[in-house]
Amino acid sequence: MLDSTRDGTPRAVDTAAGRARKGLVVVGSFVLVLYVIEVINALSLRSLNGTFGLRPRSLDGLLDIFTFPLLHANLAHLFSNTLPLIIFGFLVLLSGRRVFFTALALSWLASGVVVWLIGGFNVTVGASGLVFGLFSFLLVRGFFNRNWWQILLSVVLFLTYGGILVGILPTVVGYVSWQAHLGGAIGGVVAAVLLSLPRAERPRPRA
């Protein structure tokens, strides 16, 4: 569908179907990148994990905040994150790319910071912090936006996937980073709060 600007130039109208197509492309591309990195990591005998995995409370580890969600312990680890990433990422993207990248960035950053601060002694890798961030964003944004459709979606998601929230609780299982899950969830809630705030109106140029 096309619309036109004031000067008569045609422009595309952002429809739900269009956002859905763009969402699939963006999420699919991100997941594809994860699998390409996984192949490279496997061929290098997991050497990327030692170099770019997140090392808590290490000065060098601060840079690892930006790389650790791109790596995984093995293919099964990546498989476990793939479907939730696609589902939650797609649902967030239906609200637009700005919303998606804000939620993703804050989930990514908060997950890494929490792991760096209170993580165990092991190197942490995996995109599960992003999964928890996008999920928590979907759960709470409707309440901040006062949007009944989003609240209904959050109820459905909670009933379907709410069991994963136990992953934010401290666990004795050493290979599960509850810190990454908790940090990601915090980032998702922060994103929902920030995106619910009214945007300042930009001054319009006079005709």
Side-chain angles (χ1 to χ4, degrees), residues 13-24 90 94:
V13 175
D14 189 20
T15 63
R19 290 195 299 271
R21 286 193 295 269
K22 292 176 182 177
L24 287 174
F90 174 74
L94 290 179

Side-chain angles (χ1 to χ4, degrees), residues 20-65:
R21 286 193 295 269
K22 292 176 182 177
L24 287 174
V25 170
V26 172
V27 175
S29 298
F30 180 67
V31 171
L32 179 60
V33 168
L34 294 182
Y35 275 90
V36 170
I37 294 174
E38 170 62 22
V39 170
I40 296 172
N41 200 13
L43 293 176
S44 65
L45 303 179
R46 302 290 161 188
S47 63
L48 296 182
N49 288 359
T51 304
F52 300 105
L54 182 47
R55 294 156 287 175
R57 294 169 298 282
S58 163
L59 289 179
D60 293 339
L62 288 172
L63 295 177
D64 301 331
I65 290 174

Side-chain angles (χ1 to χ4, degrees), residues 1 10 12 38 67 73:
M1 182 183 298
E38 170 62 22
T67 56

Side-chain angles (χ1 to χ4, degrees), residues 126-182:
S128 56
L130 307 184
V131 170
F132 275 76
L134 296 173
F135 183 56
S136 66
F137 174 80
L138 290 168
L139 286 183
V140 303
R141 64 169 177 171
F143 298 96
F144 293 114
N145 295 334
R146 298 180 181 179
N147 184 308
W148 288 106
W149 288 109
Q150 292 177 355
I151 292 174
L152 178 61
L153 175 62
S154 71
V155 171
V156 173
L157 288 174
F158 180 78
L159 293 175
T160 307
Y161 295 101
I164 71 172
L165 292 176
V166 298
I168 67 175
L169 302 176
T171 174
V172 295
V173 182
Y175 58 84
V176 175
S177 178
W178 63 269
Q179 297 93 337
H181 300 168
L182 176 62

